[in-house]
Structures are given as C-alpha cells and as structure tokens.
Short mmCIF file of all heavy atoms in Angstrom, two decimals:
data_model
loop_
_atom_site.label_atom_id
_atom_site.label_comp_id
_atom_site.label_asym_id
_atom_site.label_seq_id
_atom_site.Cartn_x
_atom_site.Cartn_y
_atom_site.Cartn_z
N GLY A 1 153.88 46.75 92.73
CA GLY A 1 154.40 47.48 93.77
C GLY A 1 155.58 46.79 94.53
O GLY A 1 156.12 47.29 95.50
N TYR A 2 155.99 45.60 94.07
CA TYR A 2 157.18 44.90 94.65
C TYR A 2 158.40 45.61 94.32
O TYR A 2 158.61 45.80 93.08
CB TYR A 2 157.12 43.42 94.28
CG TYR A 2 155.99 42.54 94.84
CD1 TYR A 2 154.72 42.67 94.38
CD2 TYR A 2 156.30 41.77 95.98
CE1 TYR A 2 153.73 41.90 94.95
CE2 TYR A 2 155.27 41.04 96.47
CZ TYR A 2 154.00 41.09 96.00
OH TYR A 2 153.01 40.34 96.59
N GLN A 3 159.26 45.92 95.26
CA GLN A 3 160.37 46.81 95.03
C GLN A 3 161.63 46.00 94.75
O GLN A 3 162.55 46.50 94.05
CB GLN A 3 160.58 47.61 96.23
CG GLN A 3 159.42 48.56 96.59
CD GLN A 3 159.64 49.38 97.81
OE1 GLN A 3 160.81 49.71 98.16
NE2 GLN A 3 158.56 49.84 98.37
N ASN A 4 161.78 44.77 95.19
CA ASN A 4 163.02 44.01 94.89
C ASN A 4 162.61 42.55 94.57
O ASN A 4 162.31 41.72 95.52
CB ASN A 4 163.92 44.06 96.15
CG ASN A 4 165.20 43.25 95.94
OD1 ASN A 4 165.54 42.99 94.82
ND2 ASN A 4 165.89 42.98 96.99
N VAL A 5 162.62 42.23 93.32
CA VAL A 5 162.30 40.84 92.90
C VAL A 5 163.62 40.17 92.47
O VAL A 5 164.12 40.42 91.42
CB VAL A 5 161.28 40.88 91.65
CG1 VAL A 5 160.96 39.49 91.28
CG2 VAL A 5 159.99 41.73 92.05
N SER A 6 164.09 39.26 93.31
CA SER A 6 165.34 38.63 93.00
C SER A 6 165.01 37.16 92.49
O SER A 6 164.13 36.59 92.95
CB SER A 6 166.18 38.58 94.27
OG SER A 6 165.63 37.83 95.29
N VAL A 7 165.90 36.77 91.59
CA VAL A 7 165.79 35.38 91.06
C VAL A 7 167.15 34.64 91.25
O VAL A 7 168.12 35.12 90.87
CB VAL A 7 165.46 35.42 89.54
CG1 VAL A 7 165.39 34.03 88.92
CG2 VAL A 7 164.15 36.23 89.27
N ILE A 8 167.05 33.50 91.83
CA ILE A 8 168.25 32.63 91.97
C ILE A 8 168.07 31.50 91.03
O ILE A 8 166.96 31.11 90.61
CB ILE A 8 168.41 32.10 93.41
CG1 ILE A 8 167.21 31.37 93.91
CG2 ILE A 8 168.68 33.34 94.37
CD1 ILE A 8 167.38 30.67 95.25
N TRP A 9 169.23 30.80 90.64
CA TRP A 9 169.23 29.78 89.64
C TRP A 9 169.67 28.49 90.29
O TRP A 9 170.74 28.44 90.94
CB TRP A 9 170.16 30.16 88.49
CG TRP A 9 169.85 31.42 87.81
CD1 TRP A 9 170.09 32.71 88.21
CD2 TRP A 9 169.01 31.52 86.69
NE1 TRP A 9 169.54 33.60 87.36
CE2 TRP A 9 168.92 32.96 86.39
CE3 TRP A 9 168.35 30.67 85.82
CZ2 TRP A 9 168.23 33.44 85.29
CZ3 TRP A 9 167.66 31.16 84.68
CH2 TRP A 9 167.57 32.53 84.44
N ARG A 10 168.84 27.48 90.11
CA ARG A 10 169.14 26.14 90.68
C ARG A 10 168.76 25.08 89.56
O ARG A 10 168.12 25.43 88.54
CB ARG A 10 168.37 25.84 91.90
CG ARG A 10 168.64 26.78 93.07
CD ARG A 10 170.07 26.53 93.65
NE ARG A 10 170.35 27.33 94.85
CZ ARG A 10 170.86 28.60 94.83
NH1 ARG A 10 171.14 29.15 93.64
NH2 ARG A 10 171.08 29.26 95.91
N SER A 11 169.08 23.85 89.76
CA SER A 11 168.64 22.83 88.89
C SER A 11 167.07 22.85 88.95
O SER A 11 166.48 23.24 89.87
CB SER A 11 169.12 21.46 89.29
OG SER A 11 168.53 21.05 90.47
N TRP A 12 166.42 22.28 87.91
CA TRP A 12 164.94 22.36 87.90
C TRP A 12 164.44 21.48 89.04
O TRP A 12 163.38 21.90 89.67
CB TRP A 12 164.46 21.79 86.51
CG TRP A 12 164.76 22.78 85.44
CD1 TRP A 12 165.77 22.75 84.58
CD2 TRP A 12 164.02 24.01 85.12
NE1 TRP A 12 165.69 23.81 83.72
CE2 TRP A 12 164.65 24.59 84.05
CE3 TRP A 12 162.91 24.61 85.71
CZ2 TRP A 12 164.23 25.82 83.50
CZ3 TRP A 12 162.44 25.76 85.15
CH2 TRP A 12 163.07 26.37 84.05
N LEU A 13 165.01 20.43 89.27
CA LEU A 13 164.55 19.53 90.36
C LEU A 13 164.70 20.22 91.76
O LEU A 13 163.80 20.25 92.53
CB LEU A 13 165.34 18.22 90.39
CG LEU A 13 164.73 17.08 91.13
CD1 LEU A 13 163.40 16.69 90.57
CD2 LEU A 13 165.74 15.88 91.14
N LYS A 14 165.86 20.90 92.02
CA LYS A 14 166.09 21.50 93.24
C LYS A 14 165.19 22.78 93.43
O LYS A 14 164.68 22.95 94.50
CB LYS A 14 167.57 21.98 93.32
CG LYS A 14 168.01 22.59 94.71
CD LYS A 14 167.85 21.52 95.80
CE LYS A 14 168.33 22.14 97.13
NZ LYS A 14 168.17 21.18 98.25
N GLY A 15 165.02 23.52 92.33
CA GLY A 15 164.16 24.72 92.45
C GLY A 15 162.79 24.41 92.83
O GLY A 15 162.12 25.11 93.56
N PHE A 16 162.27 23.35 92.19
CA PHE A 16 160.83 22.93 92.48
C PHE A 16 160.78 22.46 93.87
O PHE A 16 159.77 22.79 94.56
CB PHE A 16 160.41 21.81 91.40
CG PHE A 16 158.96 21.57 91.57
CD1 PHE A 16 157.97 22.46 90.98
CD2 PHE A 16 158.40 20.42 92.14
CE1 PHE A 16 156.67 22.26 91.07
CE2 PHE A 16 157.14 20.21 92.24
CZ PHE A 16 156.18 21.10 91.66
N GLU A 17 161.74 21.73 94.34
CA GLU A 17 161.83 21.20 95.69
C GLU A 17 161.76 22.41 96.71
O GLU A 17 161.06 22.41 97.70
CB GLU A 17 163.01 20.34 95.92
CG GLU A 17 163.24 19.83 97.32
CD GLU A 17 164.49 19.08 97.50
OE1 GLU A 17 164.59 17.94 96.99
OE2 GLU A 17 165.53 19.64 98.04
N MET A 18 162.64 23.40 96.46
CA MET A 18 162.62 24.58 97.30
C MET A 18 161.27 25.30 97.33
O MET A 18 160.81 25.82 98.39
CB MET A 18 163.72 25.57 96.79
CG MET A 18 165.10 25.07 96.95
SD MET A 18 166.34 26.12 96.17
CE MET A 18 166.22 27.61 97.22
N THR A 19 160.60 25.30 96.17
CA THR A 19 159.26 26.01 96.17
C THR A 19 158.30 25.22 96.97
O THR A 19 157.49 25.80 97.67
CB THR A 19 158.86 26.08 94.62
OG1 THR A 19 159.82 26.88 93.94
CG2 THR A 19 157.51 26.79 94.53
N VAL A 20 158.24 23.91 96.77
CA VAL A 20 157.27 23.05 97.47
C VAL A 20 157.49 23.19 99.01
O VAL A 20 156.49 23.31 99.77
CB VAL A 20 157.38 21.62 97.05
CG1 VAL A 20 156.64 20.67 98.01
CG2 VAL A 20 157.01 21.43 95.60
N GLU A 21 158.70 23.28 99.41
CA GLU A 21 159.00 23.47 100.81
C GLU A 21 158.84 24.85 101.43
O GLU A 21 159.02 25.09 102.59
CB GLU A 21 160.41 22.98 101.10
CG GLU A 21 160.68 21.42 100.79
CD GLU A 21 162.08 21.05 100.92
OE1 GLU A 21 162.98 21.91 101.12
OE2 GLU A 21 162.33 19.81 100.84
N GLY A 22 158.55 25.80 100.55
CA GLY A 22 158.30 27.20 100.97
C GLY A 22 159.57 27.93 101.29
O GLY A 22 159.49 28.97 101.95
N ARG A 23 160.70 27.41 100.78
CA ARG A 23 161.94 28.15 101.02
C ARG A 23 162.18 29.35 100.06
O ARG A 23 163.09 30.12 100.30
CB ARG A 23 163.17 27.21 100.93
CG ARG A 23 163.17 26.14 102.10
CD ARG A 23 164.46 25.36 102.11
NE ARG A 23 164.38 24.32 101.11
CZ ARG A 23 165.48 23.80 100.49
NH1 ARG A 23 166.69 24.28 100.68
NH2 ARG A 23 165.41 22.83 99.63
N VAL A 24 161.40 29.46 99.05
CA VAL A 24 161.37 30.60 98.13
C VAL A 24 159.89 30.93 97.98
O VAL A 24 158.96 30.24 98.29
CB VAL A 24 162.04 30.31 96.78
CG1 VAL A 24 163.58 30.12 96.98
CG2 VAL A 24 161.46 29.08 96.16
N ASP A 25 159.72 32.12 97.33
CA ASP A 25 158.31 32.61 97.17
C ASP A 25 157.67 32.11 95.89
O ASP A 25 156.44 32.39 95.63
CB ASP A 25 158.34 34.13 97.14
CG ASP A 25 158.82 34.66 98.51
OD1 ASP A 25 158.37 34.14 99.58
OD2 ASP A 25 159.67 35.66 98.52
N GLY A 26 158.36 31.44 95.00
CA GLY A 26 157.76 30.90 93.84
C GLY A 26 158.80 30.48 92.74
O GLY A 26 159.96 30.78 92.89
N THR A 27 158.39 29.82 91.74
CA THR A 27 159.21 29.39 90.58
C THR A 27 158.43 29.40 89.35
O THR A 27 157.23 29.52 89.32
CB THR A 27 159.81 28.03 90.88
OG1 THR A 27 160.78 27.71 89.96
CG2 THR A 27 158.77 26.84 90.88
N PHE A 28 159.10 29.21 88.22
CA PHE A 28 158.52 29.28 86.91
C PHE A 28 159.53 28.83 85.85
O PHE A 28 160.74 28.69 86.20
CB PHE A 28 158.17 30.78 86.58
CG PHE A 28 159.41 31.71 86.73
CD1 PHE A 28 160.17 31.96 85.59
CD2 PHE A 28 159.73 32.28 87.91
CE1 PHE A 28 161.36 32.77 85.73
CE2 PHE A 28 160.84 33.05 88.03
CZ PHE A 28 161.66 33.28 86.91
N PRO A 29 159.18 28.56 84.62
CA PRO A 29 157.80 28.35 84.14
C PRO A 29 157.50 26.82 84.24
O PRO A 29 158.35 26.00 83.94
CB PRO A 29 157.83 28.81 82.74
CG PRO A 29 159.23 28.50 82.25
CD PRO A 29 160.17 28.67 83.50
N TYR A 30 156.31 26.52 84.65
CA TYR A 30 155.93 25.10 84.81
C TYR A 30 154.59 24.86 84.14
O TYR A 30 153.70 25.64 84.20
CB TYR A 30 155.85 24.71 86.30
CG TYR A 30 157.18 24.36 86.87
CD1 TYR A 30 158.04 25.38 87.37
CD2 TYR A 30 157.61 23.10 86.91
CE1 TYR A 30 159.27 25.06 87.88
CE2 TYR A 30 158.89 22.78 87.39
CZ TYR A 30 159.73 23.73 87.88
OH TYR A 30 160.93 23.42 88.40
N ALA A 31 154.40 23.70 83.59
CA ALA A 31 153.13 23.18 83.07
C ALA A 31 152.43 22.37 84.19
O ALA A 31 153.11 21.92 85.11
CB ALA A 31 153.34 22.28 81.81
N GLN A 32 151.12 22.31 84.03
CA GLN A 32 150.35 21.54 85.05
C GLN A 32 150.47 20.07 84.84
O GLN A 32 150.34 19.61 83.68
CB GLN A 32 148.90 21.98 85.02
CG GLN A 32 148.60 23.33 85.62
CD GLN A 32 147.11 23.60 85.79
OE1 GLN A 32 146.25 22.69 85.51
NE2 GLN A 32 146.78 24.84 86.23
N THR A 33 150.59 19.31 85.91
CA THR A 33 150.44 17.87 85.91
C THR A 33 149.59 17.54 87.21
O THR A 33 149.62 18.34 88.14
CB THR A 33 151.77 17.15 85.97
OG1 THR A 33 152.42 17.38 87.21
CG2 THR A 33 152.67 17.56 84.85
N PRO A 34 148.98 16.41 87.23
CA PRO A 34 148.15 16.07 88.38
C PRO A 34 148.99 15.99 89.62
O PRO A 34 148.58 16.45 90.71
CB PRO A 34 147.61 14.64 88.07
CG PRO A 34 147.58 14.67 86.60
CD PRO A 34 148.75 15.41 86.08
N SER A 35 150.28 15.52 89.58
CA SER A 35 151.07 15.48 90.80
C SER A 35 151.52 16.89 91.20
O SER A 35 151.53 17.13 92.45
CB SER A 35 152.34 14.65 90.53
OG SER A 35 153.05 15.13 89.47
N ARG A 36 151.79 17.70 90.30
CA ARG A 36 152.18 19.09 90.67
C ARG A 36 151.07 19.87 91.36
O ARG A 36 151.31 20.72 92.24
CB ARG A 36 152.68 19.85 89.46
CG ARG A 36 154.06 19.38 89.00
CD ARG A 36 154.49 20.06 87.69
NE ARG A 36 155.78 19.69 87.25
CZ ARG A 36 156.27 19.94 85.93
NH1 ARG A 36 155.59 20.67 85.20
NH2 ARG A 36 157.50 19.47 85.70
N LYS A 37 149.84 19.63 90.92
CA LYS A 37 148.70 20.33 91.40
C LYS A 37 148.47 20.13 92.82
O LYS A 37 147.79 20.88 93.55
CB LYS A 37 147.42 20.01 90.55
CG LYS A 37 147.46 20.66 89.19
CD LYS A 37 146.29 20.15 88.36
CE LYS A 37 145.00 20.79 88.76
NZ LYS A 37 143.85 20.51 87.84
N LYS A 38 148.99 19.00 93.37
CA LYS A 38 148.92 18.65 94.80
C LYS A 38 149.91 19.43 95.58
O LYS A 38 149.79 19.54 96.80
CB LYS A 38 149.11 17.17 95.02
CG LYS A 38 148.07 16.28 94.36
CD LYS A 38 148.40 14.85 94.49
CE LYS A 38 147.37 13.92 93.76
NZ LYS A 38 147.73 12.47 93.88
N LEU A 39 150.98 19.97 94.95
CA LEU A 39 152.06 20.58 95.66
C LEU A 39 152.16 22.09 95.55
O LEU A 39 152.78 22.73 96.39
CB LEU A 39 153.40 19.91 95.20
CG LEU A 39 153.53 18.41 95.32
CD1 LEU A 39 154.71 17.92 94.59
CD2 LEU A 39 153.52 18.06 96.74
N VAL A 40 151.72 22.61 94.41
CA VAL A 40 151.82 24.07 94.17
C VAL A 40 150.49 24.63 93.68
O VAL A 40 149.67 23.95 93.12
CB VAL A 40 152.99 24.32 93.13
CG1 VAL A 40 154.31 23.91 93.65
CG2 VAL A 40 152.68 23.65 91.81
N LEU A 41 150.37 25.93 93.83
CA LEU A 41 149.30 26.78 93.25
C LEU A 41 149.76 27.31 91.89
O LEU A 41 150.94 27.77 91.82
CB LEU A 41 148.88 27.85 94.14
CG LEU A 41 148.29 27.54 95.58
CD1 LEU A 41 147.88 28.80 96.32
CD2 LEU A 41 147.17 26.57 95.44
N PHE A 42 148.89 27.27 90.98
CA PHE A 42 149.26 27.81 89.61
C PHE A 42 148.65 29.13 89.32
O PHE A 42 147.47 29.39 89.70
CB PHE A 42 148.77 26.82 88.51
CG PHE A 42 149.56 25.46 88.49
CD1 PHE A 42 149.40 24.49 89.37
CD2 PHE A 42 150.60 25.42 87.51
CE1 PHE A 42 150.15 23.36 89.34
CE2 PHE A 42 151.40 24.22 87.52
CZ PHE A 42 151.11 23.22 88.33
N SER A 43 149.37 30.02 88.66
CA SER A 43 148.86 31.29 88.26
C SER A 43 148.01 31.20 86.98
O SER A 43 147.72 30.09 86.49
CB SER A 43 150.05 32.23 87.93
OG SER A 43 150.68 31.78 86.71
N GLU A 44 147.54 32.31 86.48
CA GLU A 44 146.98 32.37 85.13
C GLU A 44 148.09 31.97 84.11
O GLU A 44 149.27 32.18 84.43
CB GLU A 44 146.41 33.67 84.82
CG GLU A 44 145.20 34.12 85.67
CD GLU A 44 144.04 33.15 85.39
OE1 GLU A 44 143.80 32.90 84.22
OE2 GLU A 44 143.33 32.84 86.38
#
C-alpha cells in the first residue's frame, strides 16, 4: 500500500552511512556481516 517509493543513488559507502543515520528509510542489497548487524535490521 505504499504509494510513492522513491530511490536515490549514492556511492555504496555514502548510502549505507545515510541508512545507519536514519536519513533514508532503507537501502539494498546487502549481505550480513557481524559489524553490519549492529547497525541495521535485515529483512528476509
């Protein structure tokens, strides 16, 4: 039911940083690592 799903493009490093800081609603696609699991929630 989401009506407007917009995607912006940044470097991988910058995009992940923006996600960790909560400046965007999410990012993809990422594999799990121990360090990432401390910073982000993973989907199925």
Side-chain angles (χ1 to χ4, degrees):
Y2 287 78
Q3 299 179 24
N4 182 16
V5 183
S6 62
V7 178
I8 60 174
W9 302 84
R10 298 291 186 270
S11 71
W12 291 100
L13 197 62
K14 184 65 175 178
F16 190 74
E17 177 184 282
M18 293 172 68
T19 303
V20 169
E21 294 175 354
R23 289 190 280 151
V24 291
D25 298 315
T27 189
F28 58 88
Y30 276 86
Q32 283 190 8
T33 66
S35 60
R36 288 175 180 169
K37 289 174 73 173
K38 298 176 183 177
L39 301 171
V40 296
L41 299 182
F42 286 82
S43 69
E44 292 296 318

